[in-house]
Amino acid sequence: VIVRGGVTYEYVDLGLSVKWAKCNVGAKTETDYGDYFMWGSTKANTPDECTWANAPFNGGNTSYNADAINSAKDTVCPNGVLAKEYDAASQIMGGDWRMPTQAEFKHLYYNTTNEWTQVNGVNGFKFTGSNGNDICIPAAGNCYDGSVFSVGGDGCVWCSSLDTSGPRKA
C-alpha cells in the first residue's frame, strides 16, 4: 500500500512478472471507472477534451496525424515505451507506479483465469492469478471525439507501449 496526497494506492500480486494496481487511476475502488485519459496526458481528461485536436503529440490536428505522432515518437516513447513524464500512472500516483507495457498486459491476459463478469453490479473483466488473488478492470467504455461510448459493455486499457501495428494505438 502506498499513500500519496491523502490517496491510498494498493497493489495486488497475481503471481506474474509485475504487481497490478487494485484499481484504475482516479478510482477509489476496483469497480470505480476512474478517470479518462488521452494517451500521453498526465491529467484526467473530460469527454469534451478527448478529441484529436487536443491529443498529446498530434500537433493540434483535428484528425489523426501520423506524421506529428511519428515525429514525437522517439522523444515521448524511447525504446517503444512511454517516458515517465508522459505516463499518467507515474505522474499521478508517484513512486514506482506506471502504466503496464503491452507485453505485461498480454502476460496478465494469457497467464490468469479471466472472465467477463459483474463485480458489485459493475460489468468488467476479472483476472485471477494462480495464487488466487484477483483484480477487476471495469468496463468504463472509452472516451473519443467528445463523448464516452460503451460504458458497461466495453473498455479500453492504456499500455505504455506504442502499438507498432497502428501508431495511434497503445
Side-chain angles (χ1 to χ4, degrees):
V1 176
I2 296 174
V3 179
R4 181 174 189 216
V7 179
T8 301
Y9 299 105
E10 295 181 66
Y11 64 85
V12 177
D13 183 352
L14 299 171
L16 302 173
S17 59
V18 296
K19 293 176 177 69
W20 288 82
K22 186 71 176 168
C23 57
N24 285 331
V25 176
K28 302 267 186 270
T29 68
E30 71 177 336
T31 55
D32 285 348
Y33 295 148
D35 294 324
Y36 293 95
F37 294 87
M38 291 181 284
W39 193 77
S41 181
T42 58
K43 68 171 193 68
N45 299 114
T46 66
D48 288 341
E49 292 173 324
C50 291
T51 65
W52 281 116
N54 295 323
F57 326 122
N58 199 44
N61 295 287
T62 58
S63 60
Y64 170 67
N65 186 302
D67 291 337
I69 302 269
N70 284 330
S71 70
K73 186 168 53 175
D74 291 339
T75 301
V76 301
C77 208
N79 301 316
V81 178
L82 193 61
K84 185 174 183 166
E85 60 264 29
Y86 304 108
D87 183 313
S90 178
Q91 294 302 307
I92 292 169
M93 297 166 71
D96 291 332
W97 291 103
R98 62 178 175 76
M99 293 190 306
T101 64
Q102 187 177 49
E104 289 164 343
F105 191 80
K106 285 181 179 180
H107 193 242
L108 170 72
Y109 186 81
Y110 291 112
N111 292 283
T112 60
T113 301
N114 52 74
E115 62 178 325
W116 177 258
T117 189
Q118 278 195 351
V119 175
N120 299 328
V122 176
N123 288 342
F125 263 96
K126 182 177 178 182
F127 298 87
T128 305
S130 59
N131 61 9
N133 294 338
D134 63 71
I135 61 170
C136 174
I137 298 178
N142 59 74
C143 195
Y144 177 76
D145 202 21
S147 297
V148 178
F149 299 94
S150 303
V151 173
D154 196 5
C156 296
V157 176
W158 282 131
C159 294
S160 61
S161 308
L162 189 61
D163 186 335
T164 56
S165 69
R168 67 181 182 165
K169 302 175 187 174

